[in-house]
Amino acid sequence: MPSEYKLILKHADQPGYTPDIECYLKHGGYEVLKKALAMQPLDLPDGKRKSPQEQLRDEVMKSGLRGRGGAGFSCGLKWSFVDRRSGKPIYLICNADESEPGTFKDRQIIHKDPHQLIEGMILSCFANDVKLAYIYIRGEMPQGAKLLNKALAEARAKNLLGKNILGSGYDLEIHVHRGAGAYICGEETGLIESLEGKRPYPRIKPPYFPAVLGLYMCPTIVNNVETLCNVKHIVAMGGAEFAKLGTPNNTGTRIVSLSGHVKRPGYYEIEVGKVTIGELINDPNFGGGLRDGRKLKAVIPGGSSAKVLKAGEKFKLKRKVDGKDVEQEVDMLDLPYDFDSLLQAGTMSGSSAIIVMDDSVDIVEALANISEFYAHESCGQCTPCREGSLWMSKALHRLTHGEGRKTDADYLEKIANNIPGGRTICAFGEACSWPVQSFVAKFKDEFVAKGAADEAKRAQNGVASNSAAAKRRETVAAH
Amino acid sequence: MSTAPTTESKPAPPAIEKIKVKVDGREVEVPKLSPDHAGKLVPTTMIQACEAARTDVPHYCYHPKLPVAGNCRMCLVEFGTPALGPDRKPVMNPDGTPKIAKSPRPAIACATPISPGMEIYTKTPAVKQMREGVLESLLINHPLDCPICDQAGECKLQEYSVDYGQSASRFVEAKVHKPKAVDLGPRIMLDAERCILCTRCIRFTRDVAGDDALGIINRGSYNTISTYPGMPFDNNYTLNTVDICPVGALTSKDFRFQMRVWFLKETKSVCTSCATGCNILISSREEKIYRYTPRENDGVNGPWMCDAGRLNYKWIHRDDRLKDVLVRGQKSSWTVALNEIAETLKRVPPGSAAIIASARQTNEELWLLSKLKAKLGAISDSVPRTGKGDNLLVDEDKNPNTNGARLTGISFTEMGINLSKIAAGIARGEIKTLIVFGEDLLKRAVDAKALREKELTSEVVTEHGITAELLGKLDTLIVSDILPSATAKLAHYVLPGCAHAEKRGTFTNRDGRVQRFMQAIQPPGDARPEWDFLHDLVYNVTGKNGFLTIEGLFNEMAKDVPAFNGLTWAGLGDIGVTVKV
Ligand SMILES: Cc1cc2nc3c(=O)[nH]c(=O)nc-3n(C[C@H](O)[C@H](O)[C@H](O)COP(=O)(O)O)c2cc1C
Ligand code: SF4
Ligand code: SF4
Ligand code: SF4
Ligand code: FES
């Protein structure tokens, strides 16, 4: 029977475990850091020397660690892009903006085990010659900010931060910065602008790749909270050993936020790819199944921006079985929960947030809700997303308020198609259009039926409702 | 020997490596690096390569003289780069050409650097569809009331809608309503509903004018351009945002709703409000000027000009303009006045005449006056006129032709140094005849410190000791001016002259750039261009014939004045030629 694999959350929920440094130290905290700071340069057969920093970066590369923030990009590769020859300082930013609807994993770490994050950050900073780092924490998490500041003060008091850390000669300072309440601040370049004190308008890439022109136009690494915690475990066990966790190319563990119509919503840490979506929903160790008497309707597998999966959908997966490439047809419930399988299924594991919807859900209402969120959160910088996100939301508001049309399904699809695929400055364009594209494509009959019902009702009542409708639309427009 | 005139004062930049790319199948060779908005060399972008290939890429937010924003997405194109094999070597097609790997994602041409062998596709169905999508998005919340919009006729949204817009909008929702007729500052109005949020105005004032005065408030589709609360948009360059706003969102309070732009005639001219000599277009209709706008000249003003200079045209249409030739206070004619003056001047003993000519006169006029000066053995000078300058365009010298006055020998390195000598000469009774062009000698000096902070055209006229009492001692006072003045009141002869908009000529700016300007409107009443009647006068006095056209006059002057040697009227072109000053 599949079960949790607790690497990051090993201690967090243990009775008596507190966020204090003493507790962390009692559980072996900062031992990995001490080990890393004591590392020696390695003499290579070709006469070259490999610095401890390079050795650490190699381990991260070997581990196969992929980013836990959303895009699943290789952490080692990201670090390898950093411009180390510019002569400018290198910054590291921990992305703790966790705002993707359905996601509540990073806050578990921050609230329950902040020192694990700090140790992971110090190691990552040391490996990248970073002397100044920031934790950008979502504005709506004041308690988290307080805990992090306390933890940082504790670490400073023990010379785990500051000048000449533990006598190693390495200096590092970490500051907490609180966001002001915008989802787009989670997008790394929007985050950087916000940290610089500006409006979080994401930057165009090229030329503003953070690894070259990031914070204050200096090379910058942005990593998710969970990604940085993993670095500690990679350094502790070695990259090769870490890579044995999970499945090839999908290594390590992930903390899955499970929400919606399951009996046991919550966060579960699993080895990546060792558990299927169906198991996460139904297994007693995880979701414990749907509410009694309900049937599964849809699953959003990676935070609200991921494309929805419809109950009963089948996918062809390319997999390696005994070293051979084979193609297998699998039900959506049998998709292994990992990066690559979900990509093959046309969606993504995103921020590893699974939202489960049973047959009590009005799918049009569900999409209207999601779209309203994205219309509200679009930063408004680039045309397709700025105008498209609100347009979709207005259409869905109309469709869920008795003013629908049969043609609205096609209408929505066309609006949504104008946004993604590299037409926008940041991936928010995809985030706001993928739900619309996938909901409408997979549940088209429900959208058409709703519009048709509204049309029939209007025909019955005559066109009298027109002015009322117009008024209602004004209200949406003004909200 | 005078040095050969050049069109650019800067030395030629070092040679830049060239790379080959294809635009819609057409190969072009472009420099690897190109100047960015500030002139710094950065990797050449797709839009620059397309320009080199004469392929138009529609765009809203991109402006060559502003930092790139990449927000409108109108310039999205498809592209491919040479495919690399596992050995990192280019993969070849059977026919020996390099295989191109087409990018699955489009790129914005305004921000994406080119690379050797890159192929840019601007005419594919996907590109067309993306442009249509962007345009549709821009239009859904746009008022679409072009008939009452002031931008109509010079609106990029109108223009591209013809090319890429769908005739019928699919949009059936309520539009977003935003503030209209927002008073952004003393000279600028904003209609936020027309704004397409290209941020050109924000970038201009922040990155060019150095005043971070504009920003965006609210989220998503509710984004709105705004000033900081309580801080009006008020620097000396604000009106440039009206020029670069691609739609009718920003309007000039001075110009809005005055005239439909397609009725306006545009005349190439030069601003006369300071020594910089920004190149301008004068927009006029039926002998009335409606606006000045900057005319791009990278050797002088780029695409910009200051607000003070831009708005300094109203005086041209003042009712009290000098329109009549006056002889001892009585209305007369040009023939009578010029003949009498000529007769008088022919008889003045050497050393008894003085000429004070404004450095607001043209090179040709000053040169003609210098011919008079030589004939009369007169002492001469101009009146310095100074004010505030800045680091962008505005010069402290408020005379547009200080260098012209020096090069023609009317004034000297230190302008105004002869004024007190002239005053003393009149006081001693040695100077009996005074010719004054374009200056009110009785205008009292203004204290520099008394000038308002932002008032950049106000001028400080040097104290020179020439008083009404002294002017009263003269036998002959000849004054040519455009507007009435205390000096003209005392004159025996008043000759009504022209504003630069009413004549042709050249000025020599602070860097020695000789620039032509053309005539936009007719002068009022009997007023005549100064060069025109000066030519007659000089002929009458000296007997030397000259040219009756401005071209001929200029070319003759160019032969005579060493600094101008080698110049021709035609050779000045639209952007002028720099001479050594
Ligand atoms: C609209 C948007 C919102 C995002 N929000 C978050 C977020 O809240 N937290 C996060 O870690 N990453 C977020 N990301 C992803 C980041 O841009 C970035 O990829 C990530 O922080 C990199 O860290 P990783 O490589 O460790 O995953 C967001 C991306 C987009 C496009
Ligand atoms: S895609 Fe949306 S969120 Fe991203 S920059 Fe453009 S408008 Fe802003
Ligand atoms: S006001 Fe004009 S220049 Fe400024 S952002 Fe709007 S459209 Fe662009
Ligand atoms: S800077 Fe000088 S020349 Fe240019 S517009 Fe202003 S006043 Fe005229
Ligand atoms: S011109 Fe606006 S994105 Fe390129």
Side-chain angles (χ1 to χ4, degrees):
Chain A
M1 195 156 81
S3 60
E4 282 202 79
Y5 186 101
K6 294 201 174 197
L7 180 71
I8 309 282
L9 296 179
K10 185 168 176 197
H11 304 302
D13 289 313
Q14 277 172 6
Y17 191 81
T18 67
D20 304 325
I21 196 165
E22 296 305 337
C23 181
Y24 187 65
L25 289 170
K26 251 200 308 243
H27 288 78
Y30 291 111
E31 286 306 320
V32 185
L33 175 64
K34 284 181 197 151
K35 187 181 104 179
L37 291 177
M39 277 168 70
Q40 295 301 314
L42 198 67
D43 287 312
L44 301 176
D46 63 2
K48 287 199 185 116
R49 292 191 114 195
K50 203 184 214 180
S51 69
Q53 285 82 354
E54 283 170 288
Q55 295 172 46
L56 288 170
R57 296 203 294 268
D58 274 0
E59 292 305 316
V60 171
M61 189 70 99
K62 267 190 251 166
S63 75
L65 175 65
R66 292 170 72 167
R68 302 313 196 219
F73 193 78
S74 157
C75 182
L77 214 49
K78 179 186 278 192
W79 289 9
S80 76
F81 294 152
V82 171
D83 182 356
R84 298 178 197 282
R85 263 172 277 195
S86 66
K88 298 189 224 172
I90 300 168
Y91 294 108
L92 183 138
I93 302 169
C94 168
N95 189 342
D97 195 55
E98 189 167 68
S99 318
E100 175 76 6
T103 318
F104 44 89
K105 62 181 184 75
D106 294 340
R107 73 197 67 195
Q108 311 305 333
I109 300 167
I110 293 166
H111 283 169
K112 296 170 184 167
D113 204 1
H115 281 287
Q116 181 182 192
L117 169 61
I118 294 170
E119 186 172 6
M121 279 185 76
I122 304 174
L123 286 162
S124 304
C125 289
F126 177 65
N128 288 289
D129 303 302
V130 171
K131 302 265 185 310
L132 188 54
Y134 295 89
I135 303 173
Y136 188 101
I137 187 166
R138 179 173 172 176
E140 292 88 340
M141 285 160 46
Q143 186 61 19
K146 216 190 238 167
L147 281 166
L148 282 171
N149 272 320
K150 177 167 170 278
L152 288 170
E154 289 171 340
R156 255 174 235 130
K158 294 216 178 314
N159 190 220
L160 296 159
L161 275 177
K163 291 256 174 262
N164 191 17
I165 294 172
L166 302 177
S168 64
Y170 174 59
D171 305 337
L172 172 67
E173 196 43 85
I174 301 179
H175 298 293
V176 174
H177 181 93
R178 286 185 61 195
Y183 169 74
I184 198 59
C185 292
E187 196 280 341
E188 56 188 7
T189 58
L191 185 155
I192 287 171
E193 286 280 299
S194 170
L195 196 53
E196 288 183 2
K198 301 186 234 155
R199 219 177 134 76
Y201 267 1
R203 293 176 177 172
I204 47 172
K205 291 145 265 182
Y208 304 111
F209 294 108
V212 184
L213 297 170
L215 185 63
Y216 307 120
M217 290 299 137
C218 296
T220 302
I221 296 166
V222 183
N223 274 130
N224 171 260
V225 171
E226 189 185 344
T227 313
L228 291 165
C229 290
N230 272 303
V231 172
K232 169 189 159 171
H233 300 284
I234 292 165
V235 178
M237 64 175 87
E241 201 57 33
F242 182 92
K244 288 182 189 155
L245 289 172
T247 51
N249 204 37
N250 296 268
T251 60
T253 67
R254 281 197 92 172
I255 306 170
V256 178
S257 314
L258 184 64
S259 66
H261 299 142
V262 289
K263 287 206 179 110
R264 285 168 28 99
Y267 50 92
Y268 300 98
E269 187 172 1
I270 59 165
E271 271 188 82
V272 185
K274 290 275 176 79
V275 184
T276 64
I277 290 183
E279 286 164 343
L280 280 163
I281 294 172
N282 292 315
D283 203 273
N285 282 335
F286 301 107
L290 301 177
R291 298 180 298 177
D292 292 336
R294 290 290 177 187
K295 281 208 307 262
L296 183 69
K297 183 162 191 176
V299 176
I300 304 176
S304 63
S305 58
K307 287 191 174 176
V308 69
L309 298 173
K310 187 179 180 177
E313 252 189 294
K314 302 271 187 288
F315 298 99
K316 292 225 161 42
L317 283 196
K318 285 203 185 70
R319 305 167 99 169
K320 261 198 177 13
V321 177
D322 304 329
K324 267 183 279 172
D325 286 321
V326 293
E327 199 174 73
Q328 286 181 343
E329 188 177 82
V330 298
D331 186 84
M332 52 85 80
L333 286 177
D334 298 327
L335 286 168
Y337 198 73
D338 63 27
F339 296 98
D340 293 338
S341 302
L342 289 177
L343 282 178
Q344 286 194 56
T347 180
M348 63 173 181
S349 61
S351 57
S352 64
I354 300 181
I355 303 168
V356 181
M357 291 180 267
D358 70 20
D359 56 0
S360 68
V361 168
D362 177 334
I363 212 78
V364 185
E365 292 275 2
L367 181 62
N369 184 312
I370 293 174
S371 285
E372 192 180 326
F373 172 79
Y374 287 109
H376 185 253
E377 297 299 334
S378 162
C379 81
Q381 184 181 198
C382 63
T383 311
C385 165
R386 174 180 69 236
E387 304 302 339
S389 59
L390 185 64
W391 189 359
M392 295 187 295
S393 176
K394 279 181 178 173
L396 284 158
H397 186 270
R398 191 166 45 69
L399 193 52
T400 48
H401 287 76
E403 299 295 331
R405 303 173 304 169
K406 270 195 296 246
T407 51
D408 279 338
D410 291 335
Y411 177 75
L412 277 165
E413 189 193 330
K414 290 212 177 84
I415 307 170
N417 288 349
N418 268 341
I419 307 171
R423 298 165 186 239
T424 55
I425 291 180
C426 82
F428 186 102
E430 279 75 24
C432 73
S433 53
W434 281 346
V436 176
Q437 287 181 323
S438 59
F439 272 69
V440 173
K442 295 182 184 184
F443 298 92
K444 188 155 183 178
D445 44 351
E446 295 193 34
F447 285 83
V448 174
K450 210 175 191 90
D454 286 353
E455 281 186 10
K457 211 181 287 159
R458 279 204 300 279
Q460 228 169 28
N461 301 347
V463 272
S465 68
N466 261 1
S467 63
K471 193 172 259 162
R472 198 149 38 222
R473 274 183 251 144
E474 291 289 339
T475 341
V476 197
H479 95 146
Chain B
M1 257 310 291
S2 62
T3 38
T6 57
T7 38
E8 279 312 321
S9 47
K10 290 173 209 120
I16 294 165
E17 191 189 325
K18 297 233 173 180
I19 55 182
K20 280 185 185 152
V21 299
K22 272 189 185 166
V23 178
D24 298 324
R26 230 182 94 182
E27 190 165 85
V28 281
E29 206 179 36
V30 282
K32 195 174 165 196
L33 302 174
S34 297
D36 69 359
H37 72 282
K40 197 177 127 206
L41 285 177
V42 294
T44 302
T45 56
M46 290 174 164
I47 207 166
Q48 289 167 323
C50 290
E51 202 187 319
R54 292 181 208 289
T55 298
D56 188 36
V57 178
H59 56 271
Y60 287 113
C61 66
Y62 170 72
H63 188 288
K65 293 292 156 62
L66 296 176
V68 172
N71 57 35
C72 76
R73 319 304 284 180
M74 192 65 187
C75 69
L76 282 166
V77 294
E78 294 197 285
F79 71 103
T81 44
L84 293 182
D87 53 355
R88 309 287 303 157
K89 293 220 178 78
V91 185
M92 292 298 168
N93 287 320
D95 66 357
T97 56
K99 196 177 156 80
I100 298 294
K102 195 173 158 200
S103 162
R105 290 162 76 88
I108 45 171
C110 65
T112 311
I114 50 163
S115 56
M118 179 185 264
E119 296 196 352
I120 302 167
Y121 316 109
T122 75
K123 298 197 163 71
T124 61
V127 169
K128 187 164 174 281
Q129 197 275 333
M130 288 187 287
R131 288 176 188 169
E132 284 168 4
V134 168
L135 207 68
E136 180 177 27
S137 296
L138 287 175
L139 289 173
I140 55 171
N141 287 307
H142 198 84
L144 296 186
D145 49 2
C146 306
I148 58 156
C149 175
D150 215 36
Q151 188 84 0
E154 42 186 22
C155 174
K156 285 265 192 181
L157 201 53
Q158 258 189 343
E159 218 171 281
Y160 293 150
S161 296
V162 175
D163 297 339
Y164 308 105
Q166 275 127 346
S167 45
S169 172
R170 296 191 282 231
F171 189 74
V172 296
E173 324 302 332
K175 284 181 191 267
V176 173
H177 289 297
K178 292 187 192 175
K180 296 180 86 76
V182 184
D183 194 330
L184 270 196
R187 292 170 294 286
I188 306 283
M189 293 291 267
L190 165 71
D191 180 333
E193 284 189 353
R194 299 189 200 282
C195 168
I196 57 161
L197 296 161
C198 69
T199 71
R200 279 181 170 193
C201 54
I202 299 178
R203 285 174 282 146
F204 170 80
T205 189
R206 184 188 61 208
D207 300 311
V208 179
D211 177 17
D212 198 355
L214 296 176
I216 285 173
I217 54 167
N218 300 335
R219 295 180 184 196
S221 188
Y222 301 97
N223 268 10
T224 305
I225 296 288
S226 175
T227 54
Y228 193 80
M231 305 260 284
F233 180 38
D234 184 11
N235 60 54
N236 194 26
Y237 293 93
T238 61
L239 284 164
N240 292 292
T241 60
V242 176
D243 303 333
I244 57 175
C245 179
V247 290
L250 296 178
T251 46
S252 153
K253 285 186 187 172
D254 183 60
F255 177 70
R256 67 199 308 258
F257 305 126
Q258 296 301 308
M259 182 54 64
R260 281 308 204 181
V261 293
W262 53 83
F263 291 132
L264 292 172
K265 177 181 86 174
E266 291 186 332
T267 306
K268 289 173 185 152
S269 187
V270 174
C271 174
T272 56
S273 296
C274 84
T276 303
C278 293
N279 291 205
I280 63 169
L281 286 175
I282 298 179
S283 295
S284 62
R285 185 176 187 224
E286 289 169 359
E287 313 312 328
K288 184 165 159 30
I289 296 175
Y290 285 89
R291 65 174 178 186
Y292 289 173
T293 44
R295 177 165 60 91
E296 185 149 2
N297 184 341
D298 283 353
V300 183
N301 53 310
W304 323 120
M305 74 184 292
C306 80
D307 287 4
R310 187 191 297 249
L311 295 177
N312 193 15
Y313 68 87
K314 304 243 149 99
W315 60 274
I316 296 175
H317 296 306
R318 257 167 64 172
D319 286 338
D320 59 349
R321 278 281 299 270
L322 297 179
K323 300 186 190 85
D324 298 322
V325 179
L326 299 178
V327 175
R328 285 174 290 276
Q330 294 304 306
K331 189 173 164 172
S332 180
S333 72
W334 281 104
T335 325
V336 171
L338 291 180
N339 279 338
E340 268 191 36
I341 294 170
E343 288 315 309
T344 312
L345 293 184
K346 274 184 204 160
R347 289 195 301 268
V348 305
S352 72
I355 298 175
I356 299 176
S358 179
R360 298 188 289 199
Q361 307 299 136
T362 68
N363 290 321
E364 300 75 29
E365 291 159 0
L366 292 164
W367 177 69
L368 285 167
L369 283 164
S370 77
K371 296 285 117 183
L372 264 190
K373 168 183 168 163
K375 172 74 185 168
L376 303 177
I379 176 172
S380 72
D381 208 343
S382 304
V383 181
R385 182 175 272 106
T386 53
K388 284 204 173 70
D390 66 20
N391 295 328
L392 188 50
L393 292 175
V394 180
D395 202 274
E396 285 179 9
D397 180 358
K398 300 302 170 192
N399 278 325
N401 203 18
T402 297
N403 276 324
R406 286 182 187 137
L407 295 176
T408 52
I410 288 293
S411 72
F412 311 93
T413 310
E414 196 185 325
M415 183 182 280
I417 198 164
N418 274 351
L419 293 175
S420 55
K421 287 187 203 153
I422 295 172
I426 301 172
R428 286 197 299 270
E430 289 162 10
I431 293 176
K432 290 286 189 194
T433 302
L434 181 61
I435 301 172
V436 182
F437 264 71
E439 292 292 354
D440 181 4
L441 299 175
L442 301 179
K443 189 169 175 177
R444 288 277 59 89
V446 183
D447 179 10
K449 286 190 207 92
L451 291 180
R452 265 203 311 125
E453 249 312 290
K454 300 222 166 192
E455 209 172 352
L456 286 124
T457 42
S458 300
E459 36 198 49
V460 184
V461 183
T462 312
E463 202 79 62
H464 47 57
I466 301 176
T467 59
E469 195 198 339
L470 286 184
L471 293 182
K473 294 180 68 171
L474 292 164
D475 285 348
T476 311
L477 174 60
I478 302 162
V479 172
S480 168
D481 215 330
I482 306 171
L483 293 171
S485 74
T487 308
K489 271 215 183 76
L490 299 176
H492 303 103
Y493 299 95
V494 175
L495 307 174
C498 286
H500 66 300
E502 296 159 348
K503 63 187 178 189
R504 293 191 291 167
T506 62
F507 292 125
T508 309
N509 85 348
R510 60 177 170 191
D511 298 321
R513 200 176 186 99
V514 183
Q515 311 195 94
R516 309 193 298 204
F517 58 89
M518 302 298 162
Q519 181 177 357
I521 55 171
Q522 292 298 327
D526 284 345
R528 264 172 82 184
E530 291 85 331
W531 67 265
D532 181 37
F533 68 76
L534 267 173
H535 171 267
D536 292 356
L537 186 65
V538 171
Y539 172 64
N540 286 350
V541 175
T542 65
K544 271 195 228 135
N545 204 350
F547 287 87
L548 291 170
T549 62
I550 192 77
E551 292 88 342
L553 183 61
F554 179 88
N555 295 347
E556 193 184 346
M557 169 188 75
K559 280 185 214 127
D560 187 50
V561 178
F564 296 153
N565 284 175
L567 297 183
T568 60
W569 175 264
L572 294 180
D574 288 339
I575 58 167
V577 172
T578 302
V579 300
K580 212 169 148 83
V581 287

